Amino acid sequence: EPEVTQTPSHQVTQMGQEVILRCVPISNHLYFYWYRQILGQKVEFLVSFYNNEISEKSEIFDDQFSVERPDGSNFTLKIRSTKLEDSAMYFCASSGTGTNSPLHFGNGTRLTVT
Amino acid sequence: GESVGLHLPTLSVQEGDNSIINCAYSNSASDYFIWYKQESGKGPQFIIDIRSNMDKRQGQRVTVLLNKTVKHLSLQIAATQPGDSAVYFCAERGKLSFGAGTTVTVRA
């Protein structure tokens, strides 16, 4: 069964550094998402992406965040200058037809900012 | 605020018993609902979905019930197993946010 894959599984970075989290969505999916989950808290929506542009974003997704689909298979989340509070699990998801179909999630990247 | 919420944050179930997880929604126009399961250290996983033209849908050991009159959704797990221990979320079409979920713990 096709799945969403995320790399790396764990990323440690120093405060102020830039990080790029990578995702390979399911190949025939058209909608892509990033979520984060701070330890012990709920899964929070960051951004959705369709047709090479952001379709929706939350208030968490500020100017420090950006997303890109650099080629036909990858979907990336960049955090420009990481803060301690960016430490969390970051989940990528994709769906075939947007919110009319379920999201398929990757197993996440654990980001630790020191 | 959130339009979809779960009634109880935790549920403890004896192995072999049935589990029922509840969810309420506020938008009466919602026409598609999804249940996800998140095991420790993993991403949320799709379990089952239901459209508003149905009031019941069954999967493998899971049943989702939809009561549009009271805007209530439930997930029933038959013969709960240790592998069912997880956090369960409900979601509705058009809403990309999740509630806090219900943590199900299965007692041996």
Side-chain angles (χ1 to χ4, degrees):
Chain A
E1 186 176 327
E3 57 183 26
V4 175
T5 56
Q6 291 185 243
T7 56
S9 57
H10 192 185
Q11 173 88 47
V12 181
T13 190
Q14 287 191 324
M15 194 167 53
Q17 295 297 304
E18 174 184 285
V19 293
I20 298 176
L21 309 182
R22 303 181 189 278
C23 171
V24 179
I26 293 173
S27 62
N28 61 348
H29 282 184
L30 302 176
Y31 294 79
F32 313 110
Y33 311 83
W34 283 101
Y35 286 79
R36 80 172 186 190
Q37 186 174 35
I38 296 170
L39 185 64
Q41 298 186 23
K42 65 181 184 180
V43 177
E44 299 175 291
F45 169 70
L46 293 178
V47 66
S48 60
F49 191 87
Y50 170 72
N51 199 26
N52 284 319
E53 60 183 25
I54 291 173
S55 48
E56 196 168 339
K57 62 182 180 179
S58 72
E59 59 189 22
I60 302 170
F61 194 88
D62 60 22
D63 292 344
Q64 293 297 311
F65 291 90
S66 62
V67 290
E68 190 178 29
R69 188 154 163 82
D71 53 43
S73 60
N74 291 284
F75 180 51
T76 62
L77 174 70
K78 182 192 291 186
I79 309 174
R80 252 178 280 284
S81 177
T82 50
K83 304 187 282 288
L84 294 176
E85 54 265 38
D86 293 327
S87 295
M89 282 290 287
Y90 287 81
F91 294 107
C92 173
S94 68
S95 68
T97 56
T99 52
N100 283 342
S101 60
L103 275 58
H104 295 261
F105 287 83
N107 277 331
T109 292
R110 178 172 298 284
L111 177 65
T112 302
V113 182
T114 62
Chain B
E2 297 171 1
S3 64
V4 177
L6 291 161
H7 288 180
L8 293 173
T10 62
L11 178 67
S12 180
V13 182
Q14 185 69 40
E15 183 178 355
D17 287 353
N18 297 334
S19 304
I20 299 176
I21 306 164
N22 296 302
C23 186
Y25 63 95
S26 57
N27 184 358
S28 56
S30 292
D31 61 357
Y32 176 63
F33 303 89
I34 311 163
W35 280 99
Y36 295 93
K37 168 187 180 182
Q38 186 180 22
E39 296 177 76
S40 181
K42 296 186 178 180
Q45 177 187 6
F46 168 76
I47 305 173
I48 191 167
D49 56 4
I50 189 167
R51 300 191 187 276
S52 60
N53 60 351
M54 305 171 71
D55 52 19
K56 180 179 179 179
R57 189 166 189 221
Q58 288 185 291
Q60 187 177 17
R61 281 200 308 116
V62 294
T63 301
V64 56
L65 299 178
L66 176 62
N67 185 330
K68 294 180 285 293
T69 303
V70 295
K71 292 183 283 189
H72 182 268
L73 189 68
S74 68
L75 179 71
Q76 300 179 359
I77 306 173
T80 311
Q81 301 170 358
D84 295 325
S85 292
V87 180
Y88 291 80
F89 307 90
C90 60
E92 68 181 298
R93 175 190 171 178
K95 296 293 183 182
L96 294 167
S97 300
F98 295 110
T102 291
T103 300
V104 173
T105 303
V106 181
R107 305 189 305 272

